Amino acid sequence: MRNEAPIIDALFVRLIPVLTGLRMSYEIICIDDGSTDATLEELLRSRAQYPAMRVLSLSRNFGKDVALSAGLEHSRGAAVVPIDADLQDPPELIEPMVAKWREGFDIVYATRDRRAGESLLKRASARYFYRIFDRITDFPVPHDTGDFRLLDRRVVDVLVRLPERTRFMKGLFAWVGFRQAAITFDRPERGGGASKWSYWRLWNFALDAVTSFSSMPLKVWSYLGVVISLCAFLYALFLAGLKIVRGIDVPGYASIMVAVLFFGGVQLISLGVIGEYLARTYNEVKGRPLYLVRDRWGFDDEDPADR
């Protein structure tokens, strides 16, 4: 959760009956990812009413995927269901997820048939991003699927052991494998508050995803260099042919300027791609903690903290 104070009551009104109806023991781990509104106060107030709640407050905003990793690391159940607080992930789907899990599936993910309340640009960019991602990686990521899914304990144990700091969780969920099944639903609009995802954040999210799971952006420049070199060689043969056959000198200023600007742009783009990978390598080798915990409520002493 980040700045979700207006919707906390509505979330638990729907979530608690679903969990109670499963007739299983459960815990609710709420991650406060550096909220600047009354989210933490509302969570502590709700905890007095719902004893199964545990609250983990991070020292600042670390981002959704890191906050999700913190929740997975502090979970103790035989199965774990990450869910957003904005009610776009209907809690009622947890019951069919558990049914699939009991059939023997290790991961049960929820795929969206419709995405209400999202712009055409956002829906189109998400659709084409995942199709491109599938083509440049060695494993498919389910389309139109978020972090809302059920994870078996052995899957969670694998995920929390993965060491990378730049975490694209949807890719990690697909990378670990195991037996996976899907259920579909129509995604509703937010139950309250506003989305924290600007187009700039979505762009950086896409860069993190691609650089975390594919080296194709680095390799493509080798192929592009071969193509450009071949075109340059053919153009040189063309100019030599004009000179030999017709004795015509080709005016060169405009073509030289175009070539210089074009190749300068290509070089800057290639350096930018290398820089993206280098920056992420730099972040990995620093070895800083994935997140820091400011405070927590309801956890036993033996639970991990300040990872």
Side-chain angles (χ1 to χ4, degrees), residues 25-56:
S25 61
Y26 64 87
E27 62 179 354
I28 305 172
I29 301 177
C30 302
I31 309 298
D32 174 34
D33 188 22
S35 296
T36 56
D37 66 353
T39 295
L40 182 57
E41 289 77 7
E42 289 295 320
L43 288 174
L44 296 180
R45 180 185 60 80
S46 298
R47 185 171 175 269
Q49 183 178 358
Y50 305 117
M53 278 185 58
R54 293 169 174 80
V55 179
L56 189 72

Side-chain angles (χ1 to χ4, degrees), residues 28-29 41-42 61 78 81 119 159 171 181-182 187 194 201 232 249 272 293:
I28 305 172
I29 301 177
E41 289 77 7
E42 289 295 320
N61 176 235
V81 180
S119 65
L159 288 170
R187 190 186 196 195
R201 287 193 66 190
D249 290 326
V293 176

Side-chain angles (χ1 to χ4, degrees), residues 16-300:
I16 296 296
V18 172
L19 297 178
T20 304
L22 294 175
R23 301 186 182 278
M24 303 168 64
S25 61
Y26 64 87
E27 62 179 354
I28 305 172
I29 301 177
C30 302
I31 309 298
D32 174 34
D33 188 22
S35 296
T36 56
D37 66 353
T39 295
L40 182 57
E41 289 77 7
E42 289 295 320
L43 288 174
L44 296 180
R45 180 185 60 80
S46 298
R47 185 171 175 269
Q49 183 178 358
Y50 305 117
M53 278 185 58
R54 293 169 174 80
V55 179
L56 189 72
S57 178
L58 304 186
S59 63
R60 63 170 177 85
N61 176 235
F62 285 90
K64 179 180 179 180
D65 287 344
V66 172
L68 175 55
S69 298
L72 293 177
E73 187 174 2
H74 283 79
S75 66
R76 300 178 299 180
V80 181
V81 180
I83 184 172
D84 290 344
D86 56 16
L87 291 177
Q88 287 189 292
D89 298 335
E92 293 77 12
L93 292 180
I94 295 177
E95 185 175 356
M97 286 181 176
V98 171
K100 285 284 187 182
W101 173 60
R102 285 171 169 163
E103 292 176 12
F105 291 99
D106 301 301
I107 299 177
V108 184
Y109 54 86
T111 299
R112 307 154 185 156
D113 274 344
R114 293 191 302 119
R115 303 163 66 108
E118 294 185 356
S119 65
L120 178 62
L121 176 60
K122 190 171 182 179
R123 292 196 302 269
S125 59
R127 182 184 306 114
Y128 289 111
F129 164 74
Y130 285 108
R131 281 159 177 75
I132 293 172
F133 186 86
D134 286 349
R135 290 183 175 273
I136 63 177
T137 56
D138 298 328
F139 55 91
V141 172
H143 296 183
D144 298 315
T145 301
D147 297 318
F148 184 37
R149 63 191 70 206
L150 181 147
L151 306 169
D152 185 80
R153 165 50 54 185
R154 55 182 172 177
V155 178
V156 175
D157 290 341
V158 170
L159 288 170
V160 298
R161 290 202 307 267
L162 298 179
E164 57 253 51
R165 296 305 190 258
T166 303
R167 302 179 75 83
F168 175 54
M169 294 304 296
K170 298 177 186 64
L172 293 178
F173 292 146
W175 179 85
V176 295
F178 294 96
R179 292 190 65 197
Q180 303 195 15
I183 60 175
T184 60
F185 73 106
D186 293 335
R187 190 186 196 195
E189 296 186 17
R190 288 180 61 93
S195 174
K196 317 303 185 297
W197 289 92
S198 64
Y199 284 107
W200 178 248
R201 287 193 66 190
L202 288 172
W203 169 253
N204 286 304
F205 177 75
L207 285 181
D208 286 341
V210 171
T211 55
S212 296
F213 286 95
S214 176
S215 60
M216 181 57 69
L218 289 172
K219 297 176 181 178
V220 72
W221 294 104
S222 299
Y223 303 114
L224 184 61
V226 172
V227 172
I228 292 175
S229 298
L230 180 60
C231 291
F233 178 73
L234 294 176
Y235 186 57
L237 290 179
F238 171 72
L239 294 180
L242 286 179
K243 179 66 175 178
I244 294 172
V245 175
R246 303 176 60 180
I248 298 176
D249 290 326
V250 180
Y253 178 76
S255 59
I256 289 175
M257 287 302 298
V258 169
V260 169
L261 293 174
F262 173 73
F263 289 114
V266 169
Q267 291 170 350
L268 289 176
I269 293 173
S270 63
L271 287 175
V273 172
I274 295 172
E276 289 289 341
Y277 280 89
L278 184 60
R280 283 156 178 77
T281 303
Y282 173 65
N283 288 332
E284 294 292 332
V285 300
K286 283 189 293 187
R288 291 176 182 171
L290 187 60
Y291 60 87
L292 297 175
V293 176
R294 183 179 68 175
D295 212 339
R296 59 184 188 168
W297 294 263
F299 293 94
D300 297 334

